[in-house]
Amino acid sequence: MRANILHYGRLNGIGKSKFYRINAVALLIAALISFSLSAKAKVFNANLDGKYNDPAIWVPSYPGNIIQETDTVYINNDVKLSSDIVVKGTVLVRRTGSLMGNRNVIVLQQGKLLNFGISIVDGLNNKGLVYNKHILEVALDLINSGEIVNQESIVIGNIADNIGLITGQGGTLIANKKLVNSQTGMLKGSMDVCSNNFMNVDGGTIDSTHLSFCGHRIFNNVYLSADIRRDNIVLRLHNSENKDYRKFQVERSIDGINYEPIATVNKEQLDDISIPFKYVDEEVVKSNSVFYRLRVTNSENTETFIPAIEVGSILSTNLGD
């Protein structure tokens, strides 16, 4: 029996020794992989004025128009965007620098565009993170499905389409033609948003605690949204301050200028008093866009307009109920 125990002990000792050797090898391989990955991480600096694709302005070398996941690009001077760039890693525009040109910037999910200087581009498609601490201008369209943190000024020449998060602390966001907040889109923070046409539809949410609209608190925490269905448009009044309105008049327009009343609802006619207001427009309007606004009357008989929203023609949509 003693011999058997000793024999087992020797075998067990050999097993443990082999186990430790395997672990040591695994740790060494992991360390080599980690070193290899860190060795591939590169930093590029644009230290001279010039075109983005000019190797002469870069130290130690030209980063290319696809910024890899582990790479960081610093824009220290005035760089003209001479080609579209795709950001998988990090692009940082310093306060002393600028990135300007009639080209597009695409920020992928893991990418970051950090702007502390001046960035002016044709189009911006963000799926990752855009942080703006100075001036960011998009001549055409901004498409956001990631996160945008705006601390100063973002101006969009055409349309801002948001299904991600746009937030900020004291910044301004201006979309000259249209601002669309839909699906999973959220606008929040102490930021001022402003647009000629503002659409909050199809599930878009607004945290109106601190957000303001064109210099005013966002509709005094009362705003209109619209859900486009197959055969109708559902209008909802969001009223987080629980304003006591006794009458609601829905008005519709096809040009955003001339409105006609289509329904008047008194408070006692509401089906569900827990919902501030809901109205279903079942009339199909043959127009590229339809505008709605709401005239509300409070308990003191004072009339106020809830600012208009624009929705696309339900004739051109394919959305289900």
Side-chain angles (χ1 to χ4, degrees), residues 66-73 86-91 107-108 110-113 129:
I66 299 178
I67 314 304
Q68 300 301 326
E69 288 89 339
T70 56
D71 292 352
T72 302
V73 172
V86 177
V87 183
K88 296 181 179 180
T90 301
V91 173
V107 182
L108 297 185
Q110 66 273 37
K112 298 176 183 177
L113 173 61
L129 172 66

Side-chain angles (χ1 to χ4, degrees), residues 77 102 105 154 203 228 247 256:
N77 284 62
N102 298 324
V105 175
I154 296 180
I228 307 174
K247 188 169 71 173

Side-chain angles (χ1 to χ4, degrees), residues 215-277:
H216 303 282
R217 284 188 64 203
I218 189 105
F219 315 150
N220 294 320
N221 282 353
V222 181
Y223 61 92
L224 196 60
S225 72
D227 293 330
I228 307 174
R229 308 292 181 87
R230 187 181 301 277
D231 301 315
N232 55 51
I233 296 177
V234 180
L235 300 174
R236 289 183 175 87
L237 178 66
H238 298 261
N239 183 1
S240 60
E241 290 185 344
N242 295 317
K243 296 287 188 181
D244 186 16
Y245 298 120
R246 65 179 185 84
K247 188 169 71 173
F248 306 84
Q249 180 170 293
V250 182
E251 299 183 357
R252 185 177 60 206
S253 170
I254 59 172
D255 60 8
I257 300 173
N258 302 298
Y259 285 84
E260 62 174 355
I262 60 173
T264 299
V265 179
N266 294 318
K267 182 179 180 180
E268 56 270 19
Q269 295 175 289
L270 295 176
D271 295 332
D272 186 350
I273 61 173
S274 66
I275 300 175
F277 180 76

Side-chain angles (χ1 to χ4, degrees), residues 148-321:
I148 295 177
V149 180
N150 179 37
Q151 307 290 56
E152 290 199 28
S153 173
I154 296 180
V155 178
I156 299 100
N158 197 33
I159 297 173
D161 188 355
N162 179 53
I163 60 171
L165 170 64
I166 299 179
T167 185
Q169 298 295 326
T172 59
L173 171 68
I174 299 173
N176 286 331
K177 186 174 181 180
K178 185 184 295 184
L179 171 60
V180 182
N181 187 54
S182 63
Q183 300 180 37
T184 54
M186 173 174 280
L187 300 174
K188 63 182 296 186
S190 58
M191 183 176 59
D192 184 63
V193 298
C194 193
S195 177
N196 287 328
N197 294 315
F198 176 70
M199 299 171 60
N200 188 66
V201 295
D202 194 24
T205 59
I206 298 175
D207 178 3
S208 58
T209 305
H210 303 290
L211 204 71
S212 61
F213 186 80
C214 296
H216 303 282
R217 284 188 64 203
I218 189 105
F219 315 150
N220 294 320
N221 282 353
V222 181
Y223 61 92
L224 196 60
S225 72
D227 293 330
I228 307 174
R229 308 292 181 87
R230 187 181 301 277
D231 301 315
N232 55 51
I233 296 177
V234 180
L235 300 174
R236 289 183 175 87
L237 178 66
H238 298 261
N239 183 1
S240 60
E241 290 185 344
N242 295 317
K243 296 287 188 181
D244 186 16
Y245 298 120
R246 65 179 185 84
K247 188 169 71 173
F248 306 84
Q249 180 170 293
V250 182
E251 299 183 357
R252 185 177 60 206
S253 170
I254 59 172
D255 60 8
I257 300 173
N258 302 298
Y259 285 84
E260 62 174 355
I262 60 173
T264 299
V265 179
N266 294 318
K267 182 179 180 180
E268 56 270 19
Q269 295 175 289
L270 295 176
D271 295 332
D272 186 350
I273 61 173
S274 66
I275 300 175
F277 180 76
K278 176 182 174 181
Y279 176 77
V280 180
D281 185 8
E282 297 181 345
E283 182 180 351
V284 176
V285 177
K286 295 181 179 180
S287 174
N288 290 329
S289 294
V290 183
F291 301 82
Y292 293 92
R293 71 182 182 188
L294 196 61
R295 185 197 301 264
V296 293
T297 305
N298 63 18
S299 56
E300 298 174 352
N301 210 34
T302 301
E303 289 188 341
T304 306
F305 278 112
I306 306 299
I309 61 169
E310 178 190 5
V311 301
S313 171
I314 60 176
L315 293 177
S316 60
T317 65
N318 238 349
L319 301 177
D321 292 335

Side-chain angles (χ1 to χ4, degrees), residues 53-98:
N53 59 358
D54 182 359
I57 73 171
W58 294 98
V59 176
S61 60
Y62 172 55
N65 67 330
I66 299 178
I67 314 304
Q68 300 301 326
E69 288 89 339
T70 56
D71 292 352
T72 302
V73 172
Y74 292 99
I75 307 294
N76 303 309
N77 284 62
D78 296 329
V79 174
K80 182 179 180 181
L81 193 59
S82 49
S83 63
D84 294 349
I85 62 172
V86 177
V87 183
K88 296 181 179 180
T90 301
V91 173
L92 190 151
V93 182
R94 295 193 187 276
R95 192 74 174 192
T96 57
S98 67

